Amino acid sequence: MNQDTLLSKPNHIISLATSCVLVSVESHVWNATVQDKQISDEVTAAKKADKDAGKFVKNLLAKNAEHKAVLNYRQTIYNWVQRCTYDWAGSQRLLPIANLARFHKEFREHEIKFDELVSNFLDKYPSIVSNMAFVQGDMFDRNEYPDVSELQHRFSVDLIQSEVPTGDFRCAISQDLLDDMTTHYERQAKRMVDDILSKQSAQLVDIMKSISYCCEIETTVDDNGEVKVRRRKLYDSTLDRARELCETFRTFNLTADPKLEEARASLEMLLDGVEIEKLRNSDTQRVVIKEGIDDILAKFGV
């Protein structure tokens, strides 16, 4: 077989490469935990157990509020990345290019907030450690607490971005192996695209169900025969999210899936010109939007 035989990329990968980038958001924090071997040995001995049967891990900051806020915000960043992107490989996530500018803007906002929380924690750290001497009792060991100068390097949040790889392979291998590799690569690429399409469909269905639910008007009659009307709360963020998905999926539909496009276009048209305040206060408009969305969901097979 000629060494220049080409194992070309499936069209799925080419499509991904032109419409997406790979991103990874790496956040690092000091967990403030340490294993105490002495206490572990004391506990296992008291329980007549093997010394390797258990471990005692100390929470050095005993859930201090400032430190906990940093840990919680790391989870907030993780959840944001998962919501905005699609599975690729490990920590690398697939981001539609259409959302790249907004992703960078939101990342910067998260980065600033994260740094503020870390700065607040580090400013209070000396007094927090002093207080831990009382909280930890006989377990307190000042040597287990790093200096502030060292801690500063244990907190970070970084954005790593790269292109979706598309370089062709040139293989000096047998035709059978070449065919096997091509088939495997095609299946792998198709699985990724199918997973993305599945997530897109779920995102659109979830937001439509949320709007439909919030537009419901409940009418009840109390014991005195008086009619009571209960309107569910509607949030700006819900409509914003729906419009954001419509905008993204207009250009990011890798397989040109007709059902996804029909649902997207119908939802975009239904929400065109809808203002949140008018929707909150107009029972007629609530009914129109709810019926329209329920019709889209029915056509979407939900």
Side-chain angles (χ1 to χ4, degrees):
M1 180 177 179
N2 192 300
Q3 288 189 355
D4 288 336
T5 298
L6 184 66
L7 174 59
S8 61
K9 295 293 183 291
N11 289 332
H12 294 308
I13 289 295
I14 296 172
S15 178
L16 287 171
T18 56
S19 61
C20 303
V21 293
L22 297 180
V23 295
S24 175
V25 176
E26 305 289 345
S27 56
H28 303 279
V29 300
W30 177 52
N31 288 321
T33 58
V34 64
Q35 181 185 343
D36 192 307
K37 188 175 185 305
Q38 180 180 344
I39 297 178
S40 298
D41 290 344
E42 291 175 359
V43 172
T44 52
K47 296 296 182 179
K48 297 185 173 76
D50 186 276
K51 64 179 182 179
D52 293 324
K55 296 179 181 178
F56 185 86
V57 177
K58 294 193 323 191
N59 187 341
L60 297 178
L61 298 181
K63 296 186 178 179
N64 166 262
E66 287 77 17
H67 181 255
K68 189 176 180 180
V70 178
L71 297 181
N72 288 345
Y73 202 74
R74 176 184 59 174
Q75 185 64 44
T76 296
I77 293 174
Y78 173 84
N79 293 341
W80 164 72
V81 173
Q82 296 293 307
R83 186 172 64 251
C84 297
T85 59
Y86 301 88
D87 289 338
W88 181 257
S91 63
Q92 280 192 314
R93 307 282 298 175
L94 201 69
L95 173 70
I97 289 177
N99 293 347
L100 186 58
R102 181 170 64 245
F103 187 85
H104 279 189
K105 176 179 177 293
E106 292 178 358
F107 170 77
R108 181 57 183 155
E109 292 170 353
H110 283 302
E111 184 181 37
I112 291 172
K113 179 62 176 179
F114 180 83
D115 289 344
E116 287 176 352
L117 292 172
V118 171
S119 179
N120 181 52
F121 166 66
L122 294 178
D123 287 344
K124 298 180 179 180
Y125 179 69
S127 61
I128 292 172
V129 174
S130 297
N131 184 57
M132 286 302 115
F134 299 98
V135 175
Q136 298 282 357
D138 292 340
M139 293 193 304
F140 179 77
D141 182 353
R142 182 62 181 83
N143 295 323
E144 294 173 333
Y145 294 82
D147 292 332
V148 173
S149 58
E150 180 184 344
L151 277 183
Q152 290 174 338
H153 304 292
R154 297 199 187 185
F155 294 91
S156 65
V157 57
D158 301 295
L159 171 61
I160 303 168
Q161 183 177 314
S162 61
E163 296 179 348
V164 176
T166 59
D168 289 339
F169 293 115
R170 292 184 179 272
C171 309
I173 54 178
S174 69
Q175 185 62 46
D176 288 344
L177 182 55
L178 176 62
D179 292 341
D180 287 345
M181 290 178 65
T182 304
T183 300
H184 172 75
Y185 200 15
E186 176 67 29
R187 287 175 179 169
Q188 185 181 48
K190 186 178 184 304
R191 185 170 62 250
M192 289 178 179
V193 172
D194 288 345
D195 288 345
I196 290 171
L197 179 60
S198 178
K199 180 174 179 178
Q200 287 180 300
S201 299
Q203 287 175 318
L204 208 57
V205 166
D206 287 347
I207 200 67
M208 286 194 290
K209 283 184 175 180
S210 178
I211 296 174
S212 175
Y213 174 81
C214 292
C215 283
E216 282 186 2
I217 302 171
E218 294 182 352
T219 304
T220 58
V221 180
D222 63 18
D223 295 338
N224 298 321
E226 185 177 349
V227 176
K228 300 288 185 179
V229 178
R230 178 176 177 269
R231 300 173 181 84
R232 293 197 172 105
K233 289 184 179 180
L234 284 159
Y235 299 94
D236 291 0
S237 58
T238 306
L239 288 187
D240 289 344
R241 177 62 175 161
R243 290 186 170 114
E244 175 186 308
L245 290 176
C246 288
E247 180 182 348
T248 298
F249 297 167
R250 184 189 302 117
T251 56
F252 187 60
N253 186 343
L254 295 172
T255 61
D257 183 75
K259 288 182 63 178
L260 179 66
E261 172 54 24
E262 182 182 358
R264 181 211 67 79
S266 299
L267 179 61
E268 185 176 56
M269 185 179 299
L270 182 65
L271 297 181
D272 184 40
V274 174
E275 298 177 7
I276 188 66
E277 285 303 324
K278 289 183 180 179
L279 186 57
R280 284 174 179 148
N281 299 319
S282 172
D283 290 350
T284 300
Q285 192 171 33
R286 279 175 177 258
V287 171
V288 170
I289 296 299
K290 175 174 172 53
E291 290 181 348
I293 286 180
D294 289 347
D295 183 56
I296 297 172
L297 286 170
K299 291 179 180 178
F300 203 48
V302 179

